[in-house]
Amino acid sequence: MSELLPNYVAGRWQAGTGPGTPLLDPVLGTELARVSSAGLDLEAAYAHAREQGGAALRALTYAQRAGLLAAVADVLKANRDRYFDIALANSGTTRRDSAVDIDGALFTLGQYARWGAALGDARWMVDGEAVPLAKDGSFRSRHVLVPTRGLALFINAFNFPAWGLWEKAAPALLSGVPVIAKPATATAWLAQAMVADVIAAGVLPSGALSIVCGSAQGLLSPLQPFDVVSFTGSADTAATIRSHDAVVRRSVRVNIEADSLNSALLLPDAQPGSPAFDLLVDEVVREMTVKSGQKCTAIRRVFVPAASYAAAGQAIAARLAQVTVGNPRNEAVRMGALASRQQWESVRAGIAELRRHAEVLHDGAATPLVDADPAVAACVGPTLLGAADGTASAVHDVEVFGPVATLLPYGDLPDAMRQVRLGQGSLVASLYTGDAGLAARTALDLADSHGRLHVVTPEVGATHSGHGNVMPMSLHGGPGRAGGGEELGGLRALQFYHRRAAIQGAGAVLDGLNPSGGA
Ligand code: NAP
């Protein structure tokens, strides 16, 4: 039997009971390790995090906590090569796709370390100016943001075991809030290995960082009112979390990043063969194939003017036909596996469902796999569907979490806006046009229903950051179906881990509030 990866809670490594759940290589089908969270004393674990980790972190200034993030990043950089080996084995990703996760994590940690250093020797933040409450100005109110005295529980999805952990942990630790990480079981090895390296290096105070690998059972029950939960995953699990007693009765703050039918939109000015048209084709192909389409931000719906539908379908399909799929150990392979055979089944079922409402413009199932056994490997070729009549609600509703997108024609721009909105709130939409003014107006029109609008005009064709790339400077999250969450966006992310309070008093009292003093 393979190694049972231990959990790190209450300041020590602890094995779960029972045989555990196997982690598999999604290409070869071999067992790599096992995880179990059974039998852990989570009450004690959470108490240790709050009392030891939280107190130690809050005693530090933002700049000192930023120093911890830099030290964490250094530890991870020193072990970077091994993380690529783990990602290859446990996520079945090519080196380029593993880098999106691993280097994305390092980049995000580095950014928060820099931003945190600039916050200096403060331990809490002021929020706005003091305002008078008494007519003569003698009695005033000032808002403060202080770190919550609870813990941050992170429940993550399988697609970003590295970035998913650190994009949440960086702002939490910088805020002075200890972290309990629960990676998705299927790909937990990478997150566990990273935490193990950080713990072994001794760069964080005891209780600042813990990890639980295996079932999520019982994770929410010990939560207390000042704890927070940040969840990334499916809408169904999100609903379970939202209705838990800890949230409903104890007001535990929750951030939800769920699924999303993200759009790419070719604006009416862009004809086939124009630079904007070509940029849309590039981006759709990239989004469908990076990480085998297993990105919450990936393009799922592609809107083009009706007159360009055939040309867009042909151009995207021609590019997809060149994508080699299979074992990422083979250098000829451009797209590796899905995270598990279970995901493979779910993606195939999703394609079958969409095919009932759409035509197939490029059939990934017809692509022979390179160096991989189709009976074992969780590999699936990229599939472009097209819904020429545009009325099928399933294409606006069913998220197939793989290399799958649907091309949709629109009549005029209001029709395009209406169809984009059928997604019921998304993480991101990208716009392709040569007309900067039209782009600005359209982006603003969609801003209420999207977390991010990514505008690609020819002048940024070579420099834009990518439709699906989540940059720490910009907001990540989206309203409605996307979960209603907000992450990243620079220092905005710190607000989730702080409590806002109004302090009312005489000028002398408010003037005595010093962010460099204790919180
Ligand atoms: P999932 O099944 O909801 O699992 C997500 C996490 O929740 C896993 O760690 C899972 O643990 C845990 N979990 C399962 N049942 C739970 C429960 N009853 N209480 C608490 N936690 C529980 O989602 P997934 O299949 O891993 O991820 C794919 C989905 O995530 C897609 O729909 C995708 O769009 C979405 N996603 C969204 C974002 C975003 O930022 N918006 C990013 C990535 C993915 P186990 O693994 O142990 O079951």
Short mmCIF file of all heavy atoms in Angstrom, two decimals, residues 325-377:
data_model
loop_
_atom_site.label_atom_id
_atom_site.label_comp_id
_atom_site.label_asym_id
_atom_site.label_seq_id
_atom_site.Cartn_x
_atom_site.Cartn_y
_atom_site.Cartn_z
N VAL A 325 -2.96 15.30 -27.61
CA VAL A 325 -3.50 15.01 -26.27
C VAL A 325 -2.96 13.67 -25.80
O VAL A 325 -2.89 12.71 -26.58
CB VAL A 325 -5.04 14.93 -26.33
CG1 VAL A 325 -5.62 14.71 -24.93
CG2 VAL A 325 -5.62 16.17 -26.96
N GLY A 326 -2.58 13.58 -24.53
CA GLY A 326 -2.14 12.29 -24.01
C GLY A 326 -1.23 12.41 -22.81
O GLY A 326 -1.41 13.30 -21.97
N ASN A 327 -0.24 11.53 -22.76
CA ASN A 327 0.66 11.43 -21.61
C ASN A 327 1.61 12.64 -21.59
O ASN A 327 2.42 12.80 -22.49
CB ASN A 327 1.46 10.13 -21.73
CG ASN A 327 2.26 9.86 -20.47
OD1 ASN A 327 2.56 10.77 -19.70
ND2 ASN A 327 2.60 8.59 -20.27
N PRO A 328 1.53 13.48 -20.55
CA PRO A 328 2.36 14.69 -20.54
C PRO A 328 3.86 14.39 -20.43
O PRO A 328 4.68 15.30 -20.59
CB PRO A 328 1.85 15.46 -19.32
CG PRO A 328 1.13 14.47 -18.49
CD PRO A 328 0.63 13.38 -19.39
N ARG A 329 4.23 13.13 -20.19
CA ARG A 329 5.66 12.78 -20.16
C ARG A 329 6.23 12.76 -21.58
O ARG A 329 7.45 12.78 -21.75
CB ARG A 329 5.84 11.40 -19.51
CG ARG A 329 5.50 11.41 -18.01
CD ARG A 329 5.31 10.01 -17.47
NE ARG A 329 4.88 10.04 -16.08
CZ ARG A 329 3.60 10.14 -15.68
NH1 ARG A 329 2.63 10.22 -16.59
NH2 ARG A 329 3.29 10.16 -14.41
N ASN A 330 5.35 12.68 -22.57
CA ASN A 330 5.79 12.70 -23.96
C ASN A 330 5.86 14.16 -24.43
O ASN A 330 4.87 14.89 -24.35
CB ASN A 330 4.79 11.91 -24.83
CG ASN A 330 5.26 11.79 -26.26
OD1 ASN A 330 5.72 12.76 -26.86
ND2 ASN A 330 5.13 10.60 -26.82
N GLU A 331 7.02 14.58 -24.91
CA GLU A 331 7.21 16.01 -25.22
C GLU A 331 6.33 16.50 -26.36
O GLU A 331 6.13 17.71 -26.52
CB GLU A 331 8.68 16.28 -25.52
CG GLU A 331 9.49 16.15 -24.25
CD GLU A 331 10.83 16.85 -24.28
OE1 GLU A 331 11.25 17.25 -25.38
OE2 GLU A 331 11.42 16.96 -23.20
N ALA A 332 5.81 15.56 -27.16
CA ALA A 332 4.94 15.97 -28.27
C ALA A 332 3.54 16.34 -27.78
O ALA A 332 2.75 16.92 -28.53
CB ALA A 332 4.84 14.83 -29.28
N VAL A 333 3.25 16.03 -26.52
CA VAL A 333 1.88 16.25 -26.01
C VAL A 333 1.70 17.69 -25.56
O VAL A 333 2.48 18.21 -24.76
CB VAL A 333 1.58 15.27 -24.85
CG1 VAL A 333 0.34 15.69 -24.09
CG2 VAL A 333 1.40 13.86 -25.41
N ARG A 334 0.65 18.32 -26.08
CA ARG A 334 0.37 19.70 -25.69
C ARG A 334 -0.65 19.74 -24.55
O ARG A 334 -0.63 20.63 -23.71
CB ARG A 334 -0.17 20.42 -26.93
CG ARG A 334 -0.98 21.63 -26.69
CD ARG A 334 -0.36 22.86 -27.30
NE ARG A 334 -1.24 23.98 -27.05
CZ ARG A 334 -2.03 24.52 -27.97
NH1 ARG A 334 -2.01 24.06 -29.20
NH2 ARG A 334 -2.81 25.53 -27.66
N MET A 335 -1.58 18.78 -24.53
CA MET A 335 -2.62 18.80 -23.49
C MET A 335 -2.63 17.45 -22.77
O MET A 335 -2.74 16.40 -23.41
CB MET A 335 -3.98 19.05 -24.17
CG MET A 335 -5.02 19.59 -23.23
SD MET A 335 -6.51 20.08 -24.13
CE MET A 335 -7.41 18.56 -24.15
N GLY A 336 -2.49 17.50 -21.44
CA GLY A 336 -2.43 16.28 -20.64
C GLY A 336 -3.81 15.77 -20.27
O GLY A 336 -4.76 15.83 -21.06
N ALA A 337 -3.92 15.29 -19.03
CA ALA A 337 -5.15 14.61 -18.59
C ALA A 337 -6.05 15.56 -17.80
O ALA A 337 -5.64 16.63 -17.37
CB ALA A 337 -4.78 13.43 -17.71
N LEU A 338 -7.28 15.10 -17.60
CA LEU A 338 -8.14 15.68 -16.57
C LEU A 338 -7.62 15.15 -15.23
O LEU A 338 -6.78 14.25 -15.20
CB LEU A 338 -9.59 15.27 -16.80
CG LEU A 338 -10.21 15.74 -18.12
CD1 LEU A 338 -11.56 15.07 -18.35
CD2 LEU A 338 -10.34 17.25 -18.16
N ALA A 339 -8.15 15.69 -14.13
CA ALA A 339 -7.57 15.36 -12.82
C ALA A 339 -7.85 13.94 -12.38
O ALA A 339 -7.12 13.40 -11.54
CB ALA A 339 -8.09 16.34 -11.77
N SER A 340 -8.87 13.32 -12.90
CA SER A 340 -9.22 11.97 -12.45
C SER A 340 -10.15 11.32 -13.47
O SER A 340 -10.75 11.99 -14.31
CB SER A 340 -9.94 12.02 -11.10
OG SER A 340 -11.18 12.67 -11.25
N ARG A 341 -10.25 10.02 -13.37
CA ARG A 341 -11.16 9.30 -14.24
C ARG A 341 -12.62 9.70 -13.94
O ARG A 341 -13.47 9.69 -14.82
CB ARG A 341 -10.93 7.80 -14.03
CG ARG A 341 -11.50 6.91 -15.09
CD ARG A 341 -10.77 6.98 -16.44
NE ARG A 341 -11.41 6.05 -17.37
CZ ARG A 341 -11.08 5.88 -18.63
NH1 ARG A 341 -10.09 6.56 -19.16
NH2 ARG A 341 -11.72 5.02 -19.39
N GLN A 342 -12.86 10.08 -12.71
CA GLN A 342 -14.21 10.56 -12.33
C GLN A 342 -14.54 11.85 -13.10
O GLN A 342 -15.65 12.00 -13.61
CB GLN A 342 -14.17 10.88 -10.84
CG GLN A 342 -15.45 10.65 -10.11
CD GLN A 342 -15.25 11.01 -8.63
OE1 GLN A 342 -14.14 11.31 -8.19
NE2 GLN A 342 -16.33 10.97 -7.89
N GLN A 343 -13.57 12.75 -13.19
CA GLN A 343 -13.77 13.97 -13.96
C GLN A 343 -13.97 13.64 -15.43
O GLN A 343 -14.75 14.27 -16.14
CB GLN A 343 -12.58 14.93 -13.78
CG GLN A 343 -12.65 15.72 -12.50
CD GLN A 343 -13.96 16.46 -12.36
OE1 GLN A 343 -14.37 17.21 -13.24
NE2 GLN A 343 -14.65 16.24 -11.26
N TRP A 344 -13.21 12.66 -15.90
CA TRP A 344 -13.32 12.22 -17.30
C TRP A 344 -14.75 11.79 -17.59
O TRP A 344 -15.34 12.16 -18.61
CB TRP A 344 -12.32 11.07 -17.49
CG TRP A 344 -12.25 10.46 -18.84
CD1 TRP A 344 -11.51 10.90 -19.90
CD2 TRP A 344 -12.90 9.26 -19.28
NE1 TRP A 344 -11.66 10.05 -20.97
CE2 TRP A 344 -12.51 9.04 -20.61
CE3 TRP A 344 -13.75 8.34 -18.67
CZ2 TRP A 344 -12.96 7.94 -21.36
CZ3 TRP A 344 -14.20 7.26 -19.41
CH2 TRP A 344 -13.81 7.08 -20.73
N GLU A 345 -15.32 11.02 -16.66
CA GLU A 345 -16.71 10.57 -16.85
C GLU A 345 -17.67 11.76 -16.83
O GLU A 345 -18.60 11.84 -17.62
CB GLU A 345 -17.10 9.58 -15.74
CG GLU A 345 -16.68 8.17 -16.08
CD GLU A 345 -16.65 7.24 -14.87
OE1 GLU A 345 -17.32 7.54 -13.87
OE2 GLU A 345 -15.93 6.23 -14.96
N SER A 346 -17.41 12.68 -15.91
CA SER A 346 -18.29 13.84 -15.79
C SER A 346 -18.21 14.72 -17.05
O SER A 346 -19.23 15.23 -17.53
CB SER A 346 -17.90 14.58 -14.51
OG SER A 346 -18.18 15.90 -14.60
N VAL A 347 -17.01 14.88 -17.61
CA VAL A 347 -16.85 15.69 -18.82
C VAL A 347 -17.54 15.00 -20.00
O VAL A 347 -18.24 15.65 -20.79
CB VAL A 347 -15.35 15.95 -19.11
CG1 VAL A 347 -15.13 16.45 -20.52
CG2 VAL A 347 -14.80 16.95 -18.10
N ARG A 348 -17.37 13.70 -20.11
CA ARG A 348 -18.02 12.98 -21.21
C ARG A 348 -19.55 13.07 -21.10
O ARG A 348 -20.25 13.25 -22.10
CB ARG A 348 -17.54 11.53 -21.25
CG ARG A 348 -16.14 11.46 -21.89
CD ARG A 348 -15.50 10.13 -21.68
NE ARG A 348 -16.32 9.01 -22.10
CZ ARG A 348 -16.16 8.31 -23.22
NH1 ARG A 348 -15.19 8.64 -24.06
NH2 ARG A 348 -16.93 7.29 -23.50
N ALA A 349 -20.04 12.97 -19.88
CA ALA A 349 -21.50 13.08 -19.69
C ALA A 349 -21.96 14.50 -20.05
O ALA A 349 -23.03 14.68 -20.66
CB ALA A 349 -21.86 12.75 -18.24
N GLY A 350 -21.15 15.50 -19.68
CA GLY A 350 -21.50 16.88 -19.98
C GLY A 350 -21.52 17.14 -21.48
O GLY A 350 -22.41 17.82 -21.99
N ILE A 351 -20.53 16.59 -22.19
CA ILE A 351 -20.51 16.76 -23.66
C ILE A 351 -21.75 16.10 -24.27
O ILE A 351 -22.42 16.68 -25.14
CB ILE A 351 -19.21 16.16 -24.26
CG1 ILE A 351 -17.99 16.96 -23.80
CG2 ILE A 351 -19.29 16.14 -25.79
CD1 ILE A 351 -16.64 16.35 -24.17
N ALA A 352 -22.08 14.91 -23.78
CA ALA A 352 -23.26 14.20 -24.31
C ALA A 352 -24.52 15.04 -24.09
O ALA A 352 -25.38 15.14 -24.98
CB ALA A 352 -23.39 12.83 -23.65
N GLU A 353 -24.60 15.67 -22.92
CA GLU A 353 -25.76 16.51 -22.62
C GLU A 353 -25.81 17.72 -23.57
O GLU A 353 -26.85 18.02 -24.17
CB GLU A 353 -25.67 16.96 -21.15
CG GLU A 353 -26.53 18.14 -20.73
CD GLU A 353 -28.01 17.81 -20.65
OE1 GLU A 353 -28.35 16.62 -20.79
OE2 GLU A 353 -28.82 18.75 -20.49
N LEU A 354 -24.68 18.38 -23.76
CA LEU A 354 -24.67 19.56 -24.64
C LEU A 354 -24.92 19.17 -26.09
O LEU A 354 -25.54 19.94 -26.85
CB LEU A 354 -23.34 20.31 -24.52
CG LEU A 354 -23.09 21.05 -23.20
CD1 LEU A 354 -21.79 21.85 -23.26
CD2 LEU A 354 -24.25 21.99 -22.86
N ARG A 355 -24.47 17.99 -26.48
CA ARG A 355 -24.65 17.56 -27.88
C ARG A 355 -26.12 17.39 -28.24
O ARG A 355 -26.47 17.41 -29.41
CB ARG A 355 -23.89 16.26 -28.14
CG ARG A 355 -22.41 16.50 -28.34
CD ARG A 355 -21.67 15.22 -28.60
NE ARG A 355 -21.84 14.77 -29.97
CZ ARG A 355 -20.92 14.06 -30.64
NH1 ARG A 355 -19.79 13.73 -30.05
NH2 ARG A 355 -21.13 13.68 -31.87
N ARG A 356 -26.94 17.26 -27.22
CA ARG A 356 -28.39 17.14 -27.50
C ARG A 356 -28.94 18.50 -27.96
O ARG A 356 -30.03 18.58 -28.51
CB ARG A 356 -29.12 16.67 -26.24
CG ARG A 356 -28.76 15.22 -25.90
CD ARG A 356 -29.38 14.74 -24.59
NE ARG A 356 -30.78 15.09 -24.48
CZ ARG A 356 -31.33 15.62 -23.38
NH1 ARG A 356 -30.59 15.85 -22.33
NH2 ARG A 356 -32.60 15.91 -23.36
N HIS A 357 -28.18 19.56 -27.70
CA HIS A 357 -28.68 20.90 -28.03
C HIS A 357 -27.79 21.62 -29.03
O HIS A 357 -28.06 22.76 -29.38
CB HIS A 357 -28.75 21.76 -26.77
CG HIS A 357 -29.45 21.09 -25.64
ND1 HIS A 357 -30.81 21.14 -25.49
CD2 HIS A 357 -28.99 20.33 -24.62
CE1 HIS A 357 -31.16 20.43 -24.42
NE2 HIS A 357 -30.07 19.94 -23.87
N ALA A 358 -26.69 21.00 -29.42
CA ALA A 358 -25.70 21.72 -30.24
C ALA A 358 -25.06 20.78 -31.25
O ALA A 358 -25.04 19.56 -31.06
CB ALA A 358 -24.63 22.32 -29.32
N GLU A 359 -24.54 21.36 -32.33
CA GLU A 359 -23.80 20.56 -33.31
C GLU A 359 -22.33 20.49 -32.90
O GLU A 359 -21.84 21.33 -32.13
CB GLU A 359 -23.94 21.19 -34.71
CG GLU A 359 -23.42 22.62 -34.76
CD GLU A 359 -23.51 23.26 -36.14
OE1 GLU A 359 -23.32 22.55 -37.13
OE2 GLU A 359 -23.75 24.48 -36.20
N VAL A 360 -21.64 19.47 -33.43
CA VAL A 360 -20.22 19.34 -33.10
C VAL A 360 -19.40 19.98 -34.21
O VAL A 360 -19.48 19.58 -35.38
CB VAL A 360 -19.84 17.84 -32.96
CG1 VAL A 360 -18.36 17.71 -32.65
CG2 VAL A 360 -20.68 17.19 -31.88
N LEU A 361 -18.62 20.98 -33.86
CA LEU A 361 -17.78 21.67 -34.85
C LEU A 361 -16.36 21.10 -34.85
O LEU A 361 -15.65 21.17 -35.84
CB LEU A 361 -17.75 23.17 -34.58
CG LEU A 361 -19.12 23.86 -34.60
CD1 LEU A 361 -19.00 25.34 -34.25
CD2 LEU A 361 -19.80 23.70 -35.96
N HIS A 362 -15.94 20.60 -33.70
CA HIS A 362 -14.69 19.83 -33.64
C HIS A 362 -14.85 18.76 -32.58
O HIS A 362 -15.14 19.08 -31.42
CB HIS A 362 -13.49 20.72 -33.32
CG HIS A 362 -12.22 19.92 -33.19
ND1 HIS A 362 -11.54 19.44 -34.29
CD2 HIS A 362 -11.56 19.45 -32.10
CE1 HIS A 362 -10.50 18.73 -33.89
NE2 HIS A 362 -10.49 18.72 -32.57
N ASP A 363 -14.63 17.51 -32.96
CA ASP A 363 -14.89 16.39 -32.06
C ASP A 363 -13.59 15.90 -31.44
O ASP A 363 -12.78 15.23 -32.10
CB ASP A 363 -15.57 15.26 -32.85
CG ASP A 363 -15.99 14.12 -31.93
OD1 ASP A 363 -15.78 14.23 -30.70
OD2 ASP A 363 -16.55 13.13 -32.45
N GLY A 364 -13.41 16.21 -30.15
CA GLY A 364 -12.19 15.79 -29.46
C GLY A 364 -12.09 14.28 -29.32
O GLY A 364 -10.98 13.74 -29.22
N ALA A 365 -13.23 13.60 -29.31
CA ALA A 365 -13.20 12.15 -29.13
C ALA A 365 -12.53 11.47 -30.31
O ALA A 365 -12.07 10.32 -30.20
CB ALA A 365 -14.62 11.63 -28.94
N ALA A 366 -12.46 12.17 -31.45
CA ALA A 366 -11.85 11.57 -32.64
C ALA A 366 -10.32 11.67 -32.60
O ALA A 366 -9.64 11.08 -33.44
CB ALA A 366 -12.39 12.27 -33.88
N THR A 367 -9.79 12.42 -31.62
CA THR A 367 -8.34 12.60 -31.55
C THR A 367 -7.68 11.39 -30.90
O THR A 367 -7.99 11.09 -29.74
CB THR A 367 -8.01 13.85 -30.68
OG1 THR A 367 -8.87 14.91 -31.06
CG2 THR A 367 -6.56 14.27 -30.81
N PRO A 368 -6.77 10.67 -31.58
CA PRO A 368 -6.11 9.54 -30.90
C PRO A 368 -5.17 10.05 -29.81
O PRO A 368 -4.52 11.10 -29.99
CB PRO A 368 -5.33 8.85 -32.04
CG PRO A 368 -5.31 9.79 -33.17
CD PRO A 368 -6.31 10.88 -32.95
N LEU A 369 -5.10 9.35 -28.68
CA LEU A 369 -4.22 9.78 -27.59
C LEU A 369 -2.77 9.41 -27.90
O LEU A 369 -2.51 8.38 -28.53
CB LEU A 369 -4.65 9.13 -26.27
CG LEU A 369 -6.08 9.42 -25.81
CD1 LEU A 369 -6.31 8.81 -24.42
CD2 LEU A 369 -6.37 10.92 -25.78
N VAL A 370 -1.86 10.25 -27.42
CA VAL A 370 -0.44 9.98 -27.60
C VAL A 370 0.08 9.30 -26.33
O VAL A 370 -0.05 9.87 -25.24
CB VAL A 370 0.34 11.30 -27.84
CG1 VAL A 370 1.84 11.04 -27.97
CG2 VAL A 370 -0.20 12.02 -29.06
N ASP A 371 0.61 8.10 -26.46
CA ASP A 371 1.29 7.45 -25.32
C ASP A 371 0.37 7.19 -24.13
O ASP A 371 0.85 7.17 -22.99
CB ASP A 371 2.40 8.40 -24.81
CG ASP A 371 3.76 7.79 -25.00
OD1 ASP A 371 3.82 6.70 -25.59
OD2 ASP A 371 4.74 8.42 -24.57
N ALA A 372 -0.91 7.06 -24.34
CA ALA A 372 -1.82 6.86 -23.20
C ALA A 372 -2.90 5.86 -23.59
O ALA A 372 -3.36 5.85 -24.74
CB ALA A 372 -2.46 8.19 -22.80
N ASP A 373 -3.28 5.03 -22.63
CA ASP A 373 -4.28 4.00 -22.86
C ASP A 373 -5.68 4.61 -22.66
O ASP A 373 -6.01 5.01 -21.54
CB ASP A 373 -4.04 2.86 -21.85
CG ASP A 373 -5.07 1.75 -21.99
OD1 ASP A 373 -6.03 1.91 -22.77
OD2 ASP A 373 -4.90 0.73 -21.30
N PRO A 374 -6.48 4.67 -23.72
CA PRO A 374 -7.80 5.32 -23.57
C PRO A 374 -8.70 4.62 -22.56
O PRO A 374 -9.66 5.24 -22.06
CB PRO A 374 -8.41 5.26 -24.97
CG PRO A 374 -7.52 4.43 -25.81
CD PRO A 374 -6.22 4.22 -25.09
N ALA A 375 -8.39 3.37 -22.22
CA ALA A 375 -9.22 2.68 -21.23
C ALA A 375 -8.84 3.05 -19.81
O ALA A 375 -9.55 2.73 -18.86
CB ALA A 375 -9.09 1.17 -21.43
N VAL A 376 -7.69 3.72 -19.64
CA VAL A 376 -7.19 4.04 -18.31
C VAL A 376 -7.05 5.55 -18.10
O VAL A 376 -7.45 6.09 -17.07
CB VAL A 376 -5.80 3.36 -18.08
CG1 VAL A 376 -5.20 3.81 -16.75
CG2 VAL A 376 -5.92 1.86 -18.17
N ALA A 377 -6.47 6.23 -19.09
CA ALA A 377 -6.11 7.63 -18.92
C ALA A 377 -7.34 8.54 -18.89
O ALA A 377 -8.30 8.31 -19.63
CB ALA A 377 -5.19 8.07 -20.06
#
